[in-house]
Amino acid sequence: MRIARTGFIGMALLGLVAASGCQNKLHDENTALWQQNRELQARLASAGNEPKADPAQSAQLSQLQSQLAERDAKINELQGQLRTPTATSGGQDLSGIETSYDKTSQKMTVAVPGDVLFSAGDATIHDSAKGTLDKVAASLKKDYAGKPVKIEGHTDADPIRYSKWKSNDELSLARAQAVKAYLVKKGVAENLITVQGLGSAQPKAKDKSVNRRVDIVVA
């Protein structure tokens, strides 16, 4: 049974998502269901290895399989909710922003769409996006003080045509540097921040707009 589910959308930057308590509840419920599925799988494996028995045992096996399928469906539902950007208070438009936590590397990433931050082929931050970066800066200072931060610029694979930048690599680096400069202006320690322009080297989806982004990674 396919049970290896990765990519939990974990703890958001505090202050970036006002409803993080709801996200944590979903995460806990998801983890509990995952554990129940493991236990059901063990019981199914044990039952399947036993000699054929009476109809009652067959009925029990069928019931276990049904319970496992129901929990699988519930996990899929919860994963969808966890991946959905959470609404915030205060009228800030955070649509499309994705916050994820990698348990293996213990890194949290806030992915801000490039189209939210910048105009096409430009590296000047929109005034409308500064409120979002203000919340990120506040959380970095309060909840992640002293933690190293890496800012990664990403673009789609379309070649540069109408821009002063010679390549997507240059544009992505300029955008990462612009976000760094803004966070430093808001009080985040400059010595903790590194930047990298990755151009189109690390696409996330077939949708080009998803690939145009700036990832803020906290170790």
Side-chain angles (χ1 to χ4, degrees), residues 106-128:
Q106 297 185 342
K107 291 182 179 180
M108 184 184 63
T109 301
V110 177
V112 187
D115 296 346
V116 170
L117 289 169
F118 309 102
S119 297
D122 193 24
T124 301
I125 297 173
H126 289 311
D127 288 340
S128 59

Side-chain angles (χ1 to χ4, degrees), residues 25-39:
K25 183 179 179 181
L26 288 173
H27 183 278
D28 291 343
E29 185 177 355
N30 196 7
T31 302
L33 284 170
W34 184 81
Q35 181 61 37
Q36 290 172 18
N37 261 16
R38 291 189 63 184
E39 294 171 358

Side-chain angles (χ1 to χ4, degrees), residues 154-157 198-207 210-211 213:
H154 301 267
T155 67
D156 59 33
L198 294 169
S200 60
Q202 294 183 6
K204 292 180 65 176
K206 291 182 179 180
D207 185 348
V210 176
N211 297 329
R213 68 193 190 278

Side-chain angles (χ1 to χ4, degrees), residues 168-184:
N168 282 320
D169 288 345
E170 287 189 7
L171 174 60
S172 64
L173 178 59
R175 288 180 167 183
Q177 289 171 333
V179 172
K180 174 184 176 179
Y182 189 84
L183 294 179
V184 170

Side-chain angles (χ1 to χ4, degrees), residues 14 16 35 43 55 64 78 110 120 130-131 144 151 161 171 218:
L14 299 179
L16 177 64
Q35 181 61 37
R43 292 171 63 187
L64 287 173
L78 287 171
V110 177
K130 291 179 180 179
Y144 299 90
I151 302 176
R161 289 191 177 91
L171 174 60
V218 184

Side-chain angles (χ1 to χ4, degrees), residues 53-70:
D54 54 35
Q57 185 177 8
S58 297
Q60 183 184 22
L61 183 62
S62 178
Q63 183 180 15
L64 287 173
Q65 290 172 331
S66 177
Q67 291 176 3
L68 187 58
E70 289 176 2

